[in-house]
């Protein structure tokens, strides 16, 4: 592993309101305080809010997913975690942590009907990069189902040991 602070400019991609998408990745944050890992010019992004929450931000609107600690999915510095965000065509967005829908928390879906764009893998924008390691990020233009998210988590678990 490297401590190089960097990001990848993947070119702008936009999912319009009503478009399904799925984004999943392995993260190993060096800290768990407001740490963005996918974004577009600071207006659209996915990030770790704190040690118990992820936030999805779409142009002035956001949803926060609080991770269920009892499921063993609490976020910790220097520890790998697999996270997936899945939005369906009804604009319902779900968060999966380590293959489990919102880490087992009671609130598992929220509505987020705004467009979502991303360009930078490894940061919210060029001056606010992820502190830690981002690995195996995948973006799909479809809604993945529970078993697909779980299968992806299990396939990468052996390579992402704490």
């Amino acid at each position: 592993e490297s401590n190089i602070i960097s990001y990848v400019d993947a070119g702008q991609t936009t999912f319009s309101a009503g478009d399904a998408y799925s984004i999943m990745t392995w993260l190993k944050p060096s800290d768990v305080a407001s740490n963005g890992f996918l974004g577009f010019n600071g207006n659209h992004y996915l990030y770790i809010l704190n040690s118990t929450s992820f936030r999805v931000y779409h142009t002035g609107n956001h949803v926060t997913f609080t991770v269920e600690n009892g499921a063993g999915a609490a976020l910790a510095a220097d520890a790998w975690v697999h996270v997936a965000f899945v939005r369906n065509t009804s604009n319902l967005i779900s968060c999966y942590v380590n293959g489990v829908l919102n880490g087992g928390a009671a609130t598992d879906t929220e509505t987020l009907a705004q467009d979502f764009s991303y360009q930078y893998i490894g940061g919210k924008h060029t001056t606010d990069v992820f502190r830690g390691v981002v690995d195996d990020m995948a973006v799909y233009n479809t809604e993945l189902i529970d078993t697909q998210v779980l299968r992806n988590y299990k396939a990468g678990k052996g390579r992402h040991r704490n």
Side-chain angles (χ1 to χ4, degrees), residues 87-102:
R87 185 174 77 174
N88 67 20
T89 55
S90 298
N91 297 308
L92 290 176
I93 190 163
S94 301
C95 174
Y96 294 79
V97 178
N98 292 335
V100 178
L101 185 59
N102 203 18

Side-chain angles (χ1 to χ4, degrees), residues 37-111:
F37 54 90
L38 180 70
F40 175 71
N41 291 337
N43 296 317
H44 308 252
Y45 45 87
L46 306 176
Y47 71 102
I48 296 171
L49 182 61
N50 54 46
S51 64
T52 60
S53 302
F54 285 101
R55 180 164 285 172
V56 181
Y57 191 86
H58 289 198
T59 315
N61 294 286
H62 69 270
V63 296
T64 301
F65 291 98
T66 301
V67 176
E68 177 62 44
N69 293 330
L75 308 172
D78 300 316
W80 284 108
V81 62
H82 183 264
V83 61
F85 298 94
V86 177
R87 185 174 77 174
N88 67 20
T89 55
S90 298
N91 297 308
L92 290 176
I93 190 163
S94 301
C95 174
Y96 294 79
V97 178
N98 292 335
V100 178
L101 185 59
N102 203 18
T107 304
D108 53 14
T109 60
E110 297 285 344
T111 300

